[in-house]
Amino acid sequence: MSTEQTTTTTDRERPGPTNRARRVLRFTRHALEMAVAMVAGMVVLEPVWSFAWPGLADVVTAHVLVMATNMSLGMALWMRVRGHGWAGMAEMSAAMYVPFAVLLPFYWAGALSGMALMTAGHVLMLPAMVFAMLRRGHEYGC
């Protein structure tokens, strides 16, 4: 006579596509939350900088670095609310600055316009953020 055992498992323990899909969804949701926080940082802090430094937009190098700072502050605040540690916040903030640090010499040499610098810097932030998130996957639902 055989007895059938019923084992219950949670979704977290259950292997397969359902668990993977949930992890991808959590990771994506977290990335989108941080992107919203970055935009909020730019929107909220830009008027402060415009008041404190009239003509900032005409100084491209300073402008992109201030923008990276505004995004970093908004994102770091949200990360703190979500319970992230300081090291993760620093890595994610670096993801805002590194693209500009890489591209600024090309701007200074005249190989990139100010608009190209701004656009490329923002585009390169996305893979830099994903890289930082994957480094600490456990904090982002991976």
Side-chain angles (χ1 to χ4, degrees):
M1 194 193 278
S2 68
T3 59
E4 194 174 322
Q5 287 185 341
T6 303
T7 306
T8 59
T9 58
T10 64
D11 288 335
R12 177 165 271 174
E13 296 168 342
R14 186 178 305 137
T18 301
N19 191 25
R20 182 177 308 171
R22 286 187 178 163
R23 288 193 323 258
V24 168
L25 185 61
R26 274 195 305 267
F27 184 89
T28 303
R29 186 188 74 222
H30 203 114
L32 290 173
E33 287 176 3
M34 289 195 304
V36 168
M38 290 163 47
V39 170
M42 287 191 304
V43 169
V44 169
L45 295 173
E46 190 279 329
V48 174
W49 284 104
S50 292
F51 177 77
W53 189 345
L56 172 63
D58 299 329
V59 185
V60 175
T61 299
H63 189 217
V64 297
L65 295 176
V66 164
M67 189 172 301
T69 300
N70 292 346
M71 289 186 285
S72 294
L73 290 171
M75 183 191 48
L77 176 63
W78 184 246
M79 288 179 74
R80 198 67 189 147
V81 166
R82 297 270 288 171
H84 290 274
W86 293 107
M89 291 165 52
E91 288 175 5
M92 193 58 74
S93 294
M96 303 300 101
Y97 291 97
V98 168
F100 290 120
V102 168
L103 295 171
L104 275 169
F106 294 98
Y107 169 73
W108 295 329
L112 281 177
S113 68
M115 183 57 75
L117 169 68
M118 187 74 73
T119 302
H122 282 83
V123 168
L124 291 175
M125 278 181 198
L126 299 176
M129 285 177 62
V130 169
F131 177 76
M133 289 176 73
L134 289 173
R135 270 188 37 79
R136 294 182 178 274
H138 62 283
E139 291 185 28
Y140 297 101
C142 290

